[in-house]
Amino acid sequence: MSISRRRLLGTFGAGAGLTLTGGLTAACGSNTGRGSDGEGGRPLLAHWYHQYGEPGTEQAVKRYADAYRKADVQVQWRPGNYDQQTAAALLTASGPDVFEVNGPTLDQIRGRQVVDLTDLLSEAKDDFNPAVLAPKTHEGRIWAVPQVVDMQLLYYRKSMLEKAGVEPPRTLDALVDAAKELTTGDVKGLFLGNDGGPGVLGGTPLHAAGLELITTDGEVGFDDPAAARTLGKLHRLFADKSLLLGAPSDWSDPAAFTQGLTAMQWSGLWALPQVKKALGDDFGVLPFPEDGAHGGPAVPVGAYGAAVSARSGHREAAKEYVKWLWVERTEYQEDFALTYGFHIPARISLARRAAKLRAGAAGEAVGYATDHGHAEPLLWTPASKTAYQDALSRIIKSGASPERELRSVVRRTRAELRRVQKKR
């Protein structure tokens, strides 16, 4: 199973709260080096990564590890269900010293399975994109160092919009109207994924309405009439038959857009080089458009981070290595983000100075992520997420009452918040 970084935004948070039904030994692997010494008595650190799909990534991270002089670092490339493997390994006496993680999850933080890394960012914290740093922060402490930023955005075909006399949509109402106007016999106006949007949009429309999934003080952030108003507008896209459904590949692949099956497509920054190669300058990019007087543009972002296992026999050495790689070695951070795929460095200063991200659509995208980025909050549990996505699907496809559907989701989310808060 070859997993690309683009999957992060499609499944962000899905690994939280996994129920482990299999044995732990098989999931954890062996030869971790934990508690052992490397050459010359140096610490021996095991560093786990999930299996990336972009060619050259594995060789790159091994090259970074080989360059480190204060410890011997063994990189392990982990195929299969990586989130489940690491969740299991953190509960045993074997596993990684340093590991890549979507979270960590709230249970891993509260269960003291990961090490507090706040001091690693004592001087650099303000330079990390706050949207992706927030879900890795709990009660003021930082539990993982973000590596790169992935983001989603709206691609539109300039020539198609110009021919139809349609302006690039800056509001949700304009997006709905544009999608209908751009739909012809051979072309659909908008592609939000083969399921019509609920799987990829998530809480983005709520952010566009000026709302949140979970507030900073741990309350439901979408118990507001504006939420129903905004989500109800998404059904118009389906009712108008403006959405492309059943495309040969799903939203993460720009093929439907580059092949002219749709005039607009929601996808990721990773798709930009393919779009540029296929269409030249005949495309533009936008954030998800705002809705309502209190709304604003919305850009979903996510980031894998580097964390340290609390069971590591070399915790201080592991922390020092993480700081070296993901805080100090900015040339490796830029290389990791932009040489193997197309992503944004987690450091704002790196994103601004990277040549590949300074001009054109890429430069605009970086600005959108910096100014309007939001990530799924730590308290947004898998149960809340599933309830919300199911409701969003019924609203979009079946025209279900947004008010009724959201009342149910609010109740479930409040119950989830009470549940996790009891574990303090």
Side-chain angles (χ1 to χ4, degrees):
M1 291 177 60
S2 182
I3 305 173
S4 170
R5 275 175 273 196
R6 71 189 60 178
R7 283 193 53 195
L8 171 66
L9 283 167
T11 60
F12 188 76
L18 284 170
T19 300
L20 304 177
T21 57
L24 299 182
T25 302
C28 296
S30 59
N31 190 31
T32 63
R34 176 172 292 165
S36 304
D37 291 325
E39 186 176 344
R42 293 184 299 180
L44 180 60
L45 304 177
H47 188 175
W48 285 15
Y49 290 86
H50 83 279
Q51 186 179 13
Y52 285 90
E54 293 94 341
T57 311
E58 180 179 5
Q59 292 75 16
V61 297
K62 288 181 176 178
R63 174 167 51 84
Y64 307 155
D66 288 344
Y68 190 59
R69 295 290 176 259
K70 294 184 178 181
D72 289 339
V73 181
Q74 295 181 344
V75 170
Q76 292 192 26
W77 216 235
R78 310 292 295 191
N81 190 329
Y82 177 82
D83 287 338
Q84 186 168 345
Q85 290 179 38
T86 52
L90 293 176
L91 299 174
T92 71
S94 63
D97 298 284
V98 178
F99 63 101
E100 188 176 54
V101 65
N102 281 357
T105 68
L106 191 62
D107 286 343
Q108 289 166 347
I109 294 170
R110 289 180 173 171
R112 298 183 180 180
Q113 298 172 27
V114 290
V115 174
D116 181 356
L117 303 182
T118 307
D119 59 315
L120 303 191
L121 272 64
S122 59
E123 298 178 1
K125 179 181 177 182
D126 291 343
D127 193 36
F128 278 81
N129 187 305
V132 294
L133 188 61
K136 304 185 186 308
T137 305
H138 180 60
E139 295 182 343
R141 313 305 293 173
I142 298 168
W143 302 94
V145 179
Q147 298 173 175
V148 298
V149 178
D150 271 325
M151 63 175 291
Q152 296 168 3
L153 68 168
L154 181 68
Y155 290 86
Y156 64 91
R157 189 79 173 264
K158 290 180 180 179
S159 59
M160 289 186 177
L161 269 66
E162 290 172 359
K163 183 178 179 180
V166 173
E167 292 292 324
R170 306 282 178 174
T171 67
L172 182 55
D173 287 325
L175 177 66
V176 173
D177 292 341
K180 183 177 182 180
E181 187 69 22
L182 291 164
T183 297
T184 65
D186 300 322
V187 179
K188 289 293 186 178
L190 179 61
F191 184 39
L192 296 175
N194 283 325
D195 65 353
V200 64
L201 290 181
T204 301
L206 299 179
H207 282 273
L211 305 173
E212 299 175 275
L213 291 171
I214 306 294
T215 65
T216 54
D217 56 354
E219 301 293 336
V220 177
F222 53 94
D223 186 12
D224 188 291
R229 178 203 68 213
T230 295
L231 298 189
K233 292 179 181 180
L234 298 177
H235 173 64
R236 288 173 47 200
L237 292 164
F238 190 85
D240 290 343
K241 298 183 179 180
S242 302
L243 294 177
L244 174 64
L245 303 171
S249 56
D250 216 339
W251 65 272
S252 64
D253 187 338
F257 182 66
T258 58
Q259 293 173 11
L261 302 180
T262 181
M264 299 182 291
Q265 177 173 336
W266 188 253
S267 190
L269 181 66
W270 57 80
L272 198 147
Q274 294 172 261
V275 174
K276 177 73 174 176
K277 182 178 180 180
L279 302 179
D281 293 327
D282 188 20
F283 76 98
V285 294
L286 288 171
F288 193 88
E290 64 184 50
D291 187 51
H294 302 289
V299 177
V301 298
Y304 280 108
V308 173
S309 170
R311 288 182 175 264
S312 169
H314 297 296
R315 280 179 288 183
E316 290 305 314
K319 287 178 60 178
E320 191 172 357
Y321 165 63
V322 169
K323 183 177 182 180
W324 174 84
L325 179 55
W326 295 115
V327 181
E328 297 174 351
R329 293 305 297 263
T330 55
E331 73 276 23
Y332 289 163
Q333 296 158 32
E334 185 173 344
D335 178 66
F336 185 72
L338 291 165
T339 304
Y340 320 98
F342 201 70
H343 315 272
I344 303 173
R347 301 283 293 271
I348 296 171
S349 59
L350 289 183
R352 286 175 175 167
R353 80 183 191 205
K356 293 181 180 179
L357 296 174
R358 281 205 301 262
E364 293 180 52
V366 171
Y368 297 150
T370 302
D371 296 340
H372 309 299
H374 67 268
E376 287 188 350
L378 190 60
L379 293 177
W380 185 241
T381 69
S384 296
K385 180 175 181 176
T386 298
Y388 172 77
Q389 287 186 340
D390 288 347
L392 185 57
S393 180
R394 290 188 289 269
I395 292 168
I396 292 175
K397 292 183 177 181
S398 304
S401 165
E403 291 82 4
R404 183 177 64 250
E405 294 290 339
L406 282 171
R407 281 197 295 271
S408 177
V409 179
V410 167
R411 286 195 298 270
R412 182 58 186 270
T413 303
R414 283 183 175 149
E416 281 292 290
L417 290 172
R418 288 194 297 270
R419 179 183 67 82
V420 298
Q421 288 167 358
K422 284 181 181 178
K423 293 185 177 182
R424 291 180 177 177

